[in-house]
């Protein structure tokens, strides 16, 4: 075959087709007009626009765009569910996007920050909560189990731990979990005690300081302050030991402290009001004992809280109680104090069923206040309930939500009505979704709750506000669709090797065994959460105590 000449081949090659360029009309628009166009895009398309050019990346990340998207997805649907907030006689314009604080409900603090709020980050944070997407890390805090168990509390990205061996410690949850400050117990020979209860003052006016209250086994309690700027812990007050027994529960709010012994003795104290620079002043003088009450009908688990009300300060104790006809139920006692510390009234309410029920089964309940003549009460109407009759394994109360966990893989949610006229525990709603016994549950702000199973692997997030009370929410509850299962991604240091396609089965079993060895399991069912994190006190198979942190940011 005769080869063709090279010059002949060059002449036969077709010319390259020129790409037809379209005129760039978008670049000619001003930034204001482009922002208006971007405001009509869905979130997924808005994120894709950030990858097109530097200009679009800057404009698509504009704070006002994400502020409006945050309102439309997270604030407006919640406002539409709250009874009385939306006037049905008017149009939907009353719930349209606006910068007025009255329309942002509990998220108004984000608007008050102004330019300091990163709305894109806040949107991503709430989006991760709604999907249960987070990063899971573990921080070892003790080489072996502690007796009594280690106490942990969380507030605003700071975890505080207290135990007899290591003392009082503060950990930062931002980035890698680092030890911020530590304080050893400096007790004399006459003051031998171990910490048995721990509480944080979440309403402190001074954002740089965090007030901590610790209850001890000898009946005493101490007040400590964490200075975040100086990263130091200091003791401000140490109460004398008491013969009433160890403190099983403690709560603090501003200058008030409430303690509850294992013998069910409730005491409420008030410290002198601090000056303007409370961070530089020690608490001076002895606290004033406002009242002391003894209970003979409360059973653990218990939940003690202090909250502000229209009349002053309200101390609430949620407790479990056995019944002879329908298994276990819950009760609530409130003690109302005036601003000057005077006791206004004490009242009780329970969710007792008077109908017989089979052992271990769920029943329809009748909810009414307990017939205690020593307390001022208002009788409630009858309600039907689907609450579990099993003994509660955990109890968490944040007004108006009372959440009880049970060993039959369920939770029971009660709505509490508390005003100047009455105290009522509403009918219980059964929450399903866990695949193992519920060991711990915690209710936070804005009607959000987190629960964990006994093995520590089933962590669920519940949106209690509006979703359970509505008809659609009640239909979703029995099938476990009212909660979101947390799907965590292990950190790089603890992430086990994932078998590749075509690998042997024994490699897969080895990686699974390594994963279960590294992960911690729940030790005492304690967990808590704030705006960005969920932390759980866990115990590894070798006995090490660890803080299991789920970061949603």
């Amino acid at each position: 075959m005769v080869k063709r000449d090279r010059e002949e081949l060059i002449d036969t090659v077709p010319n390259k087709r020129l790409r037809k360029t379209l005129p760039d009309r978008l670049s000619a628009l001003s930034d204001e007009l482009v922002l208006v166009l971007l405001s009509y895009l869905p979130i997924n398309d808005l994120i894709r626009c950030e990858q097109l050019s530097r200009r679009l990346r800057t404009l698509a990340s504009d704070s006002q765009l994400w502020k409006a998207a945050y309102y439309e997805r997270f604030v407006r649907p919640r406002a539409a569910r709250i009874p009385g907030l939306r006037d049905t006689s008017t149009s939907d314009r009353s719930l349209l996007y606006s910068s007025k604080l009255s329309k942002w409900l509990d998220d108004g603090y984000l608007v008050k920050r102004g330019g300091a709020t990163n709305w894109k980050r806040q949107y991503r944070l709430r989006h991760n909560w709604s999907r249960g997407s987070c990063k899971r890390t573990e921080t070892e805090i003790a080489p072996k189990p502690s007796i009594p168990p280690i106490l942990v509390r969380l507030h605003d990205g700071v975890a505080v731990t207290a135990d007899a061996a290591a003392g009082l410690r503060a950990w930062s949850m931002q980035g890698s979990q680092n030890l911020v400050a530590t304080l050893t117990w400096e007790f004399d020979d006459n003051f031998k005690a171990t910490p048995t209860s721990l509480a944080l003052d979440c309403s402190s006016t001074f954002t740089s300081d965090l007030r901590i209250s610790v209850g001890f086994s000898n009946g005493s309690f101490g007040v400590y302050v964490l200075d975040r700027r100086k990263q130091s812990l200091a003791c401000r007050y140490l109460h004398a030991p008491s013969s009433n027994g160890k403190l099983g529960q403690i709560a603090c709010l501003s200058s008030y402290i409430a303690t509850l012994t294992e013998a069910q003795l409730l005491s409420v104290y008030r410290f002198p009001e601090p000056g303007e620079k409370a961070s530089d002043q020690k608490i001076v003088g002895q606290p004033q004992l406002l009242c002391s009450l003894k209970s003979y009908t409360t059973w653990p688990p218990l939940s003690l809280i202090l909250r502000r009300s229209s009349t002053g300060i309200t101390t609430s104790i949620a407790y479990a109680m056995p019944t002879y006809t329908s298994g276990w139920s819950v009760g609530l006692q409130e003690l109302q104090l005036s601003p000057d510390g005077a006791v206004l009234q004490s009242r009780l309410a329970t969710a007792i069923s008077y109908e017989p029920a089979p052992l271990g089964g769920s029943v329809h309940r009748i909810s009414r206040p307990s017939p205690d003549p020593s307390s001022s009460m208002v009788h409630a109407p009858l309600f039907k309930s689907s609450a579990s009759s099993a003994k509660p394994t955990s109890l968490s109360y944040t007004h108006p939500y009372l959440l009880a966990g049970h060993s039959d893989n369920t939770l029971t949610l009660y709505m509490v009505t508390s005003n100047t006229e009455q105290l009522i525990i509403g009918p219980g709603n059964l929450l399903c979704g866990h695949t193992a016994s519920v060991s711990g549950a915690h209710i936070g702000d804005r009607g959000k709750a987190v629960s964990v199973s006994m093995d520590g692997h089933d962590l669920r997030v519940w949106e209690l506000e509006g979703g359970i009370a509505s008809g659609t929410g009640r239909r979703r509850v029995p099938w476990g669709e009212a909660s979101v299962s947390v799907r965590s991604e292990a950190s790089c240091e603890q992430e086990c090797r994932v078998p590749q396609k075509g690998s042997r089965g024994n490699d897969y079993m080895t990686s699974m065994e390594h994963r279960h060895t590294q992960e911690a399991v729940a030790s005492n069912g304690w967990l808590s959460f704030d705006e960005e994190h969920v932390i759980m006190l866990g115990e590894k198979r070798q006995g090490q105590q660890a803080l299991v942190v789920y970061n949603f940011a």
Side-chain angles (χ1 to χ4, degrees), residues 130-135 459 484-489 550 552:
S130 63
R131 294 173 58 92
S133 302
C134 63
K135 181 179 180 180
L459 189 69
V484 177
S485 179
V486 175
R487 303 180 305 274
S488 61
E489 298 178 358
Y550 298 86
F552 288 83

Side-chain angles (χ1 to χ4, degrees), residues 72-93:
E72 291 296 328
R73 179 176 178 183
F74 301 112
V75 180
R76 184 178 179 181
R78 180 179 172 228
R81 294 195 302 261
I82 298 179
L85 186 61
R86 179 177 178 178
D87 189 2
T88 56
S89 62
T90 60
S91 62
D92 293 341
R93 294 181 180 180

Side-chain angles (χ1 to χ4, degrees), residues 305-325:
I305 66 169
L306 282 170
R307 63 181 179 89
R308 298 188 184 276
S309 60
S310 59
T311 58
I313 299 295
T314 300
T315 305
S316 303
I317 308 174
Y319 55 90
M321 56 182 304
T323 63
Y324 293 100
T325 58

Side-chain angles (χ1 to χ4, degrees), residues 136-146 148-153 159 161 169 171 173 439-440 452-457 459 494 516-528 534-550:
R136 182 181 184 275
T137 57
E138 298 177 7
T139 301
E140 184 176 329
I141 59 177
K144 59 181 180 180
S146 175
I150 299 176
L151 306 174
V152 189
R153 293 294 181 270
T161 62
R169 293 178 291 178
W171 307 77
M173 296 292 101
S439 62
V452 64
S453 61
M454 189 68 68
D455 56 8
H457 298 296
L459 189 69
Q494 299 171 354
H516 287 292
T517 303
Q518 292 295 326
E519 290 185 350
V521 297
S523 59
N524 62 351
W526 181 91
L527 78 160
S528 181
V534 174
I535 64 172
M536 178 180 65
L537 181 61
E539 180 179 345
K540 296 184 178 181
R541 293 188 177 183
Q542 293 80 9
Q544 300 94 334
Q545 302 293 300
L547 281 181
V548 184
V549 181
Y550 298 86

